[in-house]
Amino acid sequence: MPAFDLPLTELERHHPDLEEPADFDAFWQSTLKKAGQADPLVSVRPAETGLRLTRTWDVTFRGFAGDPVRAWFSRPTGVDEPLPAVVEFAGYGRGRGLPHERLTWVNAGYAHLLMDNRGQGDQYGCGGETPDPHAGAPGGPGPAVRGLLAPEDYHYRRLITDAVRAVSAVRVLPGVDAGRIVAAGNSQGGGVALAVAGLVPDVAALLVTAPLLCGIRRALDLTDAGPYGEIAAYLSVHRGAEREAYRTLSYMEGISFARRASAAAHFGVGLRDTVCPPSGVYGAFNRYGELAGAETGAETEARKEIHAYPFNGHEGGDAVHVRRQLGWLAGVLGT
C-alpha cells in the first residue's frame, strides 16, 4: 500500500481539533469508581509452561462490573527482588493466548502481565478465555460495534476499564515494584494502553505502537480496513445512526486520553498503515500531555518520542522497534 495519509512534514505538525464531550472526565471517573469498589484479585495460580527460565501464574482479576478477567503473569526464574512490571494489552481479535508466546519483557528482566481481551480471541493467535457478559446492547457482532449506539453500552468502555483494573491487579502481585508500572500495546492494545496512561496518573511509562481509536472520525473517512471498516459497515446498514455512534466514539478517543497523560511515552508508527492511519498516531503524540497537571496548575512536560517507518504498514518497525523500546525503557526506569 503506498503512503495515503498526510506527508510526514504535515504529520509532525498535525494538531487536530476534538469534539470532546463536556462530561468526558465525569464519565470515566464514574465508570472507574464503580469498578474499583472491590479488591482487584480473584485468584493467582501457578501455571506449568515447560519453561525453565520463566515462572508463570494464571491470574484472574475483577474488571468492569466485577467480571472475572484472565491474564498471564510472568517473572524471570531465580530473581527475588521486586521488578518493574510491563502490563501488555493484546491486539484486536486476540486473546491472551498461551504463556510462552510473549517472552520479550520477561527475558529483559521485567515482570509481565498480559491481559486477556474480554469477548475476543477468536480471530488470531491461540484464543482467549474471558467472556463479555454485557454484549447484548444494539450493535454488530464484532467488538468494534458492540453497543456502539451508547457510550454506557460500548465494548471499549468495558475493555478500557478492564485495562485500568489490570494495573491495580499487577500492583498487588508478589515481586512487583508498584511504583514502576508500564502500559504497553500495539494496535488495539496500543489504544488501550494509551487510555490507561490517560486514566491512571502514576503509570511510569507508556509503550504504544500503531494505536487504534486515535483520530477516529478521520480514520473512518480514510480506511475501510477493520476494525474501522466494521464501524463503517454497520453505519452503511443503520443509516442515520451516525450521530449516536460518533457520540459514543468520542468517549473512547485516544487523543483525548493522550491529552491527559503524563507518563514518559514511546510511540511507533508505519506511514503506510491503513489499519490505524498515521494521522491518528501523530494527533495523539502531538497532543500528548497537554492537560497533565492542569488541575494543580503545575507545569508538566511529559518525556516523549516517536519513531516513524516510512515504508511499513501496520507492522511498523516490528522487531527493530522492539529493540528501540527495550533501550528506551531501560533508560526511563533505570533498569
Side-chain angles (χ1 to χ4, degrees):
M1 177 68 193
F4 73 104
D5 206 338
L6 299 170
L8 181 57
T9 53
E10 294 184 29
L11 289 171
E12 291 173 339
R13 301 191 302 268
H14 187 52
H15 199 271
D17 294 331
L18 289 176
E19 295 182 11
E20 192 172 283
D23 65 340
F24 181 91
D25 293 310
F27 174 85
W28 282 107
Q29 288 167 4
S30 174
T31 296
L32 297 179
K33 182 178 179 180
K34 292 177 183 177
Q37 291 175 348
D39 292 338
L41 287 180
V42 176
S43 65
V44 182
R45 298 174 297 177
E48 178 53 54
T49 65
L51 301 174
R52 296 183 179 180
L53 303 181
T54 300
R55 298 178 63 196
T56 299
W57 292 261
D58 186 346
V59 171
T60 302
F61 67 90
R62 294 181 177 89
F64 177 87
D67 299 336
V69 179
R70 305 291 290 276
W72 296 121
F73 175 65
S74 300
R75 282 176 50 90
T77 299
V79 179
D80 296 324
E81 68 266 21
L83 296 175
V86 175
V87 183
E88 185 176 2
F89 307 105
Y92 189 74
R94 289 186 180 273
R96 65 173 182 166
L98 298 173
H100 60 268
E101 290 185 77
R102 305 201 184 200
L103 299 175
T104 297
W105 299 111
V106 178
N107 282 335
Y110 299 98
H112 179 237
L113 185 84
L114 176 62
M115 186 186 86
D116 207 9
N117 285 328
R118 67 164 60 221
Q120 299 188 34
D122 298 321
Q123 296 183 37
Y124 307 100
C126 293
E129 299 176 278
T130 301
D132 184 1
H134 309 278
V145 286
R146 290 178 192 157
L148 179 62
L149 301 186
E152 296 80 9
D153 298 331
Y154 194 37
H155 175 79
Y156 282 107
R157 179 192 183 213
R158 301 188 290 277
L159 190 65
I160 289 169
T161 302
D162 291 347
V164 170
R165 295 290 286 163
V167 172
S168 298
V170 81
R171 282 181 159 150
V172 296
L173 287 170
V176 168
D177 181 346
R180 292 191 291 173
I181 306 299
V182 181
N186 174 72
S187 192
Q188 174 186 267
V192 170
L194 186 57
V196 168
L199 293 170
V200 184
D202 58 348
V203 168
L206 169 69
L207 300 169
V208 56
T209 312
L212 188 68
L213 301 174
C214 291
I216 299 172
R217 290 284 293 269
R218 178 175 170 82
L220 288 170
D221 290 337
L222 286 176
T223 182
D224 281 329
Y228 292 117
E230 294 179 25
I231 298 172
Y234 178 85
L235 294 176
S236 76
V237 174
H238 298 273
R239 301 167 182 87
E242 293 92 338
R243 181 177 179 181
E244 290 87 351
Y246 288 153
R247 176 176 177 268
T248 294
L249 292 167
S250 68
Y251 288 90
M252 316 299 153
E253 172 59 62
I255 298 174
S256 293
F257 290 119
R259 296 178 69 215
R260 291 159 171 80
S262 59
H266 189 279
F267 282 69
V269 56
L271 298 188
R272 299 175 183 233
D273 188 348
T274 59
V275 178
C276 297
S279 54
V281 185
Y282 271 93
F285 177 78
N286 291 335
R287 301 198 66 173
Y288 188 88
E290 67 182 17
L291 292 184
E295 292 184 1
T296 63
E299 292 292 331
T300 303
E301 181 65 31
R303 175 181 173 182
K304 62 180 183 178
E305 62 183 62
I306 188 168
H307 296 273
Y309 301 92
F311 294 95
N312 290 97
H314 197 51
E315 80 282 6
D318 208 357
V320 170
H321 189 68
V322 174
R323 182 170 59 190
R324 283 176 163 160
Q325 289 178 322
L326 288 165
W328 179 87
L329 188 60
V332 168
L333 298 183
T335 55

